[in-house]
Amino acid sequence: MGNTDISSNSTLNVSELFYSLQGEGTRAGEASLFVRLQGCSAKHACFQSGIYCDTEFESGKPMNVSDIGKFASLHRAPWIVWTGGEPTDQLTPEIIDRVKRMGYKQSIECSGIKQPPAGLDWVVLSPKVAEHIILKKWEERDGYHCDELRWVRHSGQSIPNTQIKAKEYFISPHFDGLELNDKNIKHCIKLCMENPTWKLSVQQHKLWQIL
């Protein structure tokens, strides 16, 4: 794995590049290389909703696909996870194809403001914009809009009344920074027990104290 000789002039603005464990959803616990892309076209919607973002918006390092491939070749993880910020602001089908030819599976974690490019192996949607915007922009692929739908919930919020079609549905309790909010997680457990289509996903990487 890791043919890093593939040339590419496609430059990405990268906030962080790190090797860690996936902390959420279906693939929780799996070793992955995370590429956190800088910038986010959905940030105003998040700020207005009081949603905390993992990415600061002032810095970023230009990297091309070959740079990322060289870093990936130092590790044995089969997955590259594109996250942000909003990764769909920068990713293109060409970039996805080049990384695929390096031998890696690819996942994306996105807000829904744009539909991800084709060729990804796993699409995670954590909505930060109104659902009607997502339904208007996202076409179904094999009967689904995404592979995994994650919805953050505070205590008192109801189960999402969603029309988004996903293979897996997850409720995630809102954290207080790095601290798990006891009231929120108890509420989310109750929601999942009352609505068994939905599963509980906790940001375990925060509990494990890793990136």
Side-chain angles (χ1 to χ4, degrees):
M1 185 186 300
N3 176 9
T4 59
D5 294 330
I6 297 173
S7 62
S8 174
N9 295 321
S10 299
T11 301
L12 295 167
N13 199 19
V14 178
S15 176
E16 290 182 281
L17 186 63
F18 58 96
Y19 178 57
S20 189
L21 299 181
Q22 174 59 256
E24 302 179 72
T26 304
R27 295 184 44 254
E30 291 187 13
S32 302
L33 178 72
F34 291 83
V35 185
R36 189 183 300 282
L37 298 179
Q38 177 67 26
C40 181
S41 57
K43 65 181 180 180
H44 296 298
C46 289
F47 292 157
Q48 290 173 1
S49 302
I51 297 173
Y52 170 78
C53 185
D54 293 331
T55 308
E56 51 83 23
F57 295 96
E58 301 302 323
S59 63
K61 178 182 178 180
M63 298 184 71
N64 61 38
V65 172
S66 295
D67 294 329
I68 295 171
K70 289 175 183 178
F71 186 88
S73 68
L74 300 176
H75 306 286
R76 299 173 61 187
W79 284 90
I80 288 180
V81 180
W82 301 102
T83 185
E86 178 47 58
T88 61
D89 288 344
Q90 298 190 53
L91 290 180
T92 64
E94 179 192 33
I95 292 171
I96 299 302
D97 181 63
R98 288 180 185 273
V99 174
K100 185 182 292 289
R101 287 190 279 127
M102 290 179 183
Y104 295 98
K105 295 180 180 179
Q106 298 174 80
S107 172
I108 192 171
E109 301 176 344
C110 58
S111 70
I113 196 166
K114 302 173 185 176
Q115 185 165 19
L120 291 156
D121 299 285
W122 195 255
V123 174
V124 177
L125 171 59
S126 182
K128 304 297 188 299
V129 294
E131 184 166 301
H132 73 269
I133 295 175
I134 298 172
L135 292 172
K136 182 178 180 179
K137 293 184 177 182
W138 286 52
E139 296 180 1
E140 292 183 22
R141 296 176 178 174
D142 299 323
Y144 298 98
H145 294 107
C146 61
D147 296 291
E148 185 176 317
L149 181 65
R150 297 182 197 154
W151 221 294
V152 177
R153 277 295 181 261
H154 293 265
S155 175
Q157 290 183 309
S158 62
I159 204 79
N161 181 21
T162 183
Q163 296 182 50
I164 297 171
K165 298 178 182 179
K167 295 177 183 177
E168 303 282 352
Y169 293 86
F170 287 94
I171 290 292
S172 181
H174 189 273
F175 270 62
D176 295 332
L178 297 176
E179 298 295 325
L180 182 60
N181 183 299
D182 186 62
K183 192 174 182 180
N184 288 345
I185 191 169
K186 287 180 178 177
H187 177 67
C188 288
I189 289 171
K190 183 174 182 289
L191 287 178
C192 291
M193 292 181 70
E194 293 175 348
N195 303 272
T197 299
W198 295 81
K199 302 176 183 178
L200 182 68
S201 176
V202 179
Q203 292 179 308
Q204 297 176 80
H205 52 287
K206 293 182 178 180
L207 302 178
W208 300 332
Q209 298 182 15
I210 61 176
L211 286 175

